[in-house]
Amino acid sequence: MTDILIVVDMQRDFVTGALGTPEAVSIVPAVAARIRRAREEGTRILLTLDTHEADYLTTREGRYLPVPHCIRDTEGWALVPEVAAECGRGMMSFEKPTFGSTALAHHVAALAAEQGAVEGRGMRIELCGVCTDICVVSNALLIKAALPEAEISVASSLCAGVTPQKHEAALETMRSCQIDVL
């Protein structure tokens, strides 16, 4: 059983909106089902939300990726409906202005400390979501750095990259960093 399921950026703009892909659309039902199963198992579920402000195009990311997306309080910022329907009250979310969330990594490390899991030893953490090659890999590596002994895995069939080739490249990078790819 997984101790923590982290669902990365399952927001409209990454699925059907400004940066959506057919691959992202295709994983939505399975991600929703995984969240439902995790809730039934009593697994802690954490979400990340890519969050930008109206001045996005003036940010460093906006200059390199000049596609406004996930602007706070817009339709594109919201979780896709199927995922939102599975997210219950009390589920913690982490807004992040860029790829990875150091706040998420610190929170997961604090949870490990509460359980006495030194460097994450014995903890099982699973990630899924989009984009494999940007936000999923960034968060997985931040958590791996914070908890080097945790069993961190990424469900490849529950992730989608910017392209299928970049998805595969990110999975290989994570394998190289001792993250299990399921």
Side-chain angles (χ1 to χ4, degrees), residues 92-171:
M92 187 171 239
S93 63
F94 294 83
E95 294 180 2
K96 53 187 195 54
T98 191
F99 315 127
S101 172
T102 55
L104 170 67
H106 291 306
H107 180 74
V108 172
L111 293 173
E114 286 174 13
Q115 295 179 16
V118 177
E119 295 187 336
R121 187 167 278 118
M123 287 199 69
R124 294 169 310 267
I125 302 163
E126 179 184 334
L127 291 91
C128 64
V130 293
C131 294
T132 319
D133 49 311
I134 302 172
C135 297
V136 175
V137 68
S138 295
N139 284 290
L141 292 174
L142 284 168
I143 293 166
K144 180 68 175 170
L147 296 171
E149 293 299 322
E151 296 175 32
I152 302 171
S153 63
V154 173
S156 63
S157 65
L158 302 179
C159 292
V162 173
T163 67
Q165 297 79 14
K166 289 185 177 189
H167 168 77
E168 289 300 325
L171 295 175

Side-chain angles (χ1 to χ4, degrees), residues 50-64:
D50 197 52
T51 303
H52 302 292
E53 305 303 332
D55 68 346
Y56 170 75
L57 291 175
T58 67
T59 67
R60 182 171 176 81
E61 180 181 321
R63 291 190 305 272
Y64 283 87

